Amino acid sequence: MMGKILPSRRCEKAREEGAKSVSAIVVQELRKYYGTVKAVDGVSFTVEQGEIFGLLGPNGAGKTTTVETSIGLLPRDGGEVRILGHDPQEEPLVVKSQVGVQLQMAQFFPRLSVLETIRLFGSFYPRKRKEKEVLALVGLEEKAHALVEKLSGGQLKRLSVGLALVGEVDILFLDEPTSGLDPQSRRNLWETILWLQREGKTIFLTTHYLDEAEKLCHRVAIIDHGRIIALGKPKDLIAEHFVEKAIEIPLDEVEDGREFPPLQSVTKTERDAENLTLYTVDLAATFAELGRYAEEQKLSLRNVVVREATLEDVFLKLTGRRIRD
Ligand code: ATP
């Protein structure tokens, strides 16, 4: 009896392991040009199964074009793409049955209800999630019978994400899933994305929110002008580019008409509308200098904050611009 069961179990296990060893998404030297505009200009990355991978970049960087060429919605001008080992241009139906997609420019039927829309999209997939579950995942239970044309912008966005979750698929492509959402809906969607990952899904998302990428993504690729300028775990990217810590002091606590002096242990000083930011590798030395200065000038520095560098600082360092300027 055992002898009969074991080989078939072994085969099944080998099949499962074989399936797991294929990367979820492989993109190599992907190119898409619109006339002289190099929307995607030699982009390469690999996403492993079960990962949350973020493509991060400012408006017009090439995020949507990367998504649309990766899933075969747009023909590519060069390079290779494999989704679970399949080329989306050669095997579009196989790829479509494996991915759920949320696009920024989602088209809806305005006279259908939310539930009817979910049902319609469900009919495209061989295996689908329960409609109630989809509604709950994107917080639209109370709008199930509302007509799509009556939804607010944020609700439409949540519906577009819900439609990516309708099929029981392995990979989700989410193109700026949280832009235009209020802070609470954004956090709810983060929870949903993390839950989907725990369910075993691979999630490829684009965003221009750096805090979102830092919180959600195992790895990120930063894209600018159609090219990837950094790729790795958020923590590693930050550590690679910054050894300094930032000390933020509200301007009204420190300047108040006087010039803040250069401190020996500070490597760089920045001012914005609210804060004076001091960068240092030696926090203790900077605090000692700051303490002496505050005592001399009779300043009570009540709201000083120490923060680690962020992906925003990395982007600024690599491009000289802020991501959302
Ligand atoms: P956003 O965050 O604003 O959505 P994005 O990073 O997704 O931006 P893309 O939409 O991929 O950027 O656009 C990349 C570049 O390609 C931009 O310069 C854009 O103007 C250009 N582009 C995109 N689609 C077309 C098109 N159909 N025809 C011509 N140019 C296009």
Side-chain angles (χ1 to χ4, degrees), residues 59-260:
N59 287 335
K63 302 183 295 297
T64 300
T65 311
T66 302
V67 169
E68 293 185 350
T69 42
S70 296
I71 56 176
L73 210 64
L74 276 179
R76 55 185 187 259
D77 293 329
E80 293 295 328
V81 179
R82 294 289 180 274
I83 305 292
L84 289 171
H86 304 279
D87 182 334
Q89 281 184 191
E90 303 286 323
E91 300 175 89
L93 294 180
V94 177
V95 169
K96 279 198 178 96
S97 69
Q98 288 169 324
V99 303
V101 179
Q102 171 256 322
L103 294 172
Q104 280 191 69
M105 294 296 188
Q107 300 281 339
F108 299 107
F109 296 98
R111 305 288 300 162
L112 289 187
S113 72
V114 168
L115 192 58
E116 286 164 343
T117 307
I118 290 174
R119 265 190 204 135
L120 174 68
F121 275 71
S123 68
F124 305 150
Y125 289 96
R127 289 187 304 128
K128 49 191 151 284
R129 206 180 275 281
K130 289 194 178 79
E131 289 144 9
K132 263 193 168 170
E133 195 183 333
V134 175
L135 289 168
L137 281 171
V138 292
L140 283 176
E141 298 102 313
E142 285 170 16
K143 292 285 166 188
H145 300 289
L147 291 184
V148 165
E149 66 183 6
K150 303 275 184 210
L151 296 182
S152 70
Q155 290 162 347
L156 274 176
K157 179 46 97 52
R158 283 188 274 147
L159 176 58
S160 72
V161 175
L163 297 181
L165 313 181
V166 163
E168 275 293 358
V169 293
D170 300 312
I171 306 179
L172 298 168
F173 281 87
L174 307 176
D175 191 10
E176 298 200 5
T178 64
S179 62
L181 293 186
D182 60 82
Q184 185 58 47
S185 305
R186 241 180 114 206
R187 272 192 293 274
N188 291 347
L189 194 52
W190 290 355
E191 286 306 313
T192 299
I193 290 171
L194 290 169
W195 181 83
L196 289 161
Q197 190 265 335
R198 288 196 294 275
E199 234 199 348
K201 307 291 180 209
T202 305
I203 295 149
F204 179 96
L205 64 88
T206 75
T207 184
H208 51 226
Y209 294 117
L210 291 127
D211 59 333
E212 177 164 294
E214 265 179 72
K215 282 207 177 75
L216 285 182
C217 300
H218 299 116
R219 289 186 306 134
V220 296
I222 302 181
I223 186 169
D224 194 34
H225 299 305
R227 300 187 72 88
I228 288 183
I229 54 171
L231 194 156
K233 293 179 183 165
K235 272 206 160 59
D236 292 350
L237 288 180
I238 292 163
E240 190 182 312
H241 292 282
F242 288 93
V243 282
E244 296 105 327
K245 300 230 178 339
I247 303 175
E248 283 181 353
I249 313 168
L251 278 183
D252 56 0
E253 286 191 6
V254 80
E255 291 207 316
D256 195 20
R258 71 198 117 207
E259 182 87 0
F260 188 79

